[in-house]
Amino acid sequence: MAKNKYVGEFEFNASKKMLYPYFSTASGLAQWFADDVNINNEDKVYTFIWDGDETKAKLTSNRTNHHVRFDVVDEDDDDNNFFEFKIEMNELTQSVYVRITDYSDMDDEEANELWETLIHDLKEIVGG
């Protein structure tokens, strides 16, 4: 199946420091991103659970209050999926943006709909 790269940018009325735990911790991700999230601290593999289905992803890159990247662990796929959250600030307007990059099997419309819904949920939680 063909892979697509989705990039979305979402403005938040919250600080980078406040947002970062929602992208980097199991408890933060479980509040808006998945039904449940577990971490194997030894190898930094996160298990995301949606409707009883599990997806494993390895935390491959992170910088506190700036970005987090997860590479999906899938032995059947040579061209692995990944998703990345970058928290950026526009110095001129002091606005905080989250840029999401999602490289997966979803088409643009499907990915956009999914991320719009997820970010809406996160904004309700953080009040942003």
Side-chain angles (χ1 to χ4, degrees), residues 62-80:
N62 75 333
R63 183 168 161 219
T64 303
N65 299 330
H66 289 279
H67 78 269
V68 180
R69 177 181 164 135
F70 295 94
D71 287 353
V72 176
V73 178
D74 185 355
E75 292 83 24
D76 300 333
D77 192 349
D78 293 338
D79 191 15
N80 283 340

Side-chain angles (χ1 to χ4, degrees), residues 55-58 70-74 80-83 103:
T55 299
K56 293 187 183 297
K58 185 171 180 71
F70 295 94
D71 287 353
V72 176
V73 178
D74 185 355
N80 283 340
N81 298 350
F82 73 85
F83 50 95
Y103 183 69

Side-chain angles (χ1 to χ4, degrees), residues 11 88-97:
E11 184 175 8
E88 300 173 344
M89 178 178 274
N90 181 320
E91 297 301 327
L92 225 51
T93 64
Q94 296 298 301
S95 297
V96 173
Y97 292 88

Side-chain angles (χ1 to χ4, degrees), residues 18-119:
M18 181 187 172
L19 287 171
Y20 182 74
Y22 288 100
F23 301 114
S24 61
T25 66
S27 60
L29 287 160
Q31 289 185 52
W32 70 279
F33 184 65
D35 298 335
D36 195 15
V37 180
N38 300 305
I39 303 175
N40 178 335
N41 285 322
E42 198 173 297
D43 57 8
K44 294 189 174 158
V45 171
Y46 287 55
T47 303
F48 298 95
I49 302 166
W50 291 280
D51 298 326
D53 291 333
E54 290 186 0
T55 299
K56 293 187 183 297
K58 185 171 180 71
L59 177 64
T60 55
S61 176
N62 75 333
R63 183 168 161 219
T64 303
N65 299 330
H66 289 279
H67 78 269
V68 180
R69 177 181 164 135
F70 295 94
D71 287 353
V72 176
V73 178
D74 185 355
E75 292 83 24
D76 300 333
D77 192 349
D78 293 338
D79 191 15
N80 283 340
N81 298 350
F82 73 85
F83 50 95
E84 181 176 50
F85 306 107
K86 286 189 177 180
I87 308 168
E88 300 173 344
M89 178 178 274
N90 181 320
E91 297 301 327
L92 225 51
T93 64
Q94 296 298 301
S95 297
V96 173
Y97 292 88
V98 174
R99 178 180 295 141
I100 295 170
T101 304
D102 182 357
Y103 183 69
S104 69
D105 299 333
M106 288 187 289
D107 64 40
D108 285 343
E109 188 176 320
E110 188 180 12
N112 188 54
E113 193 175 305
L114 171 70
W115 286 110
E116 290 277 346
T117 302
L118 289 170
I119 292 299

Side-chain angles (χ1 to χ4, degrees), residues 10-13 118-128:
F10 303 91
E11 184 175 8
F12 279 83
N13 295 322
L118 289 170
I119 292 299
H120 177 268
D121 294 347
L122 179 57
K123 283 184 175 185
E124 284 191 353
I125 294 166
V126 300

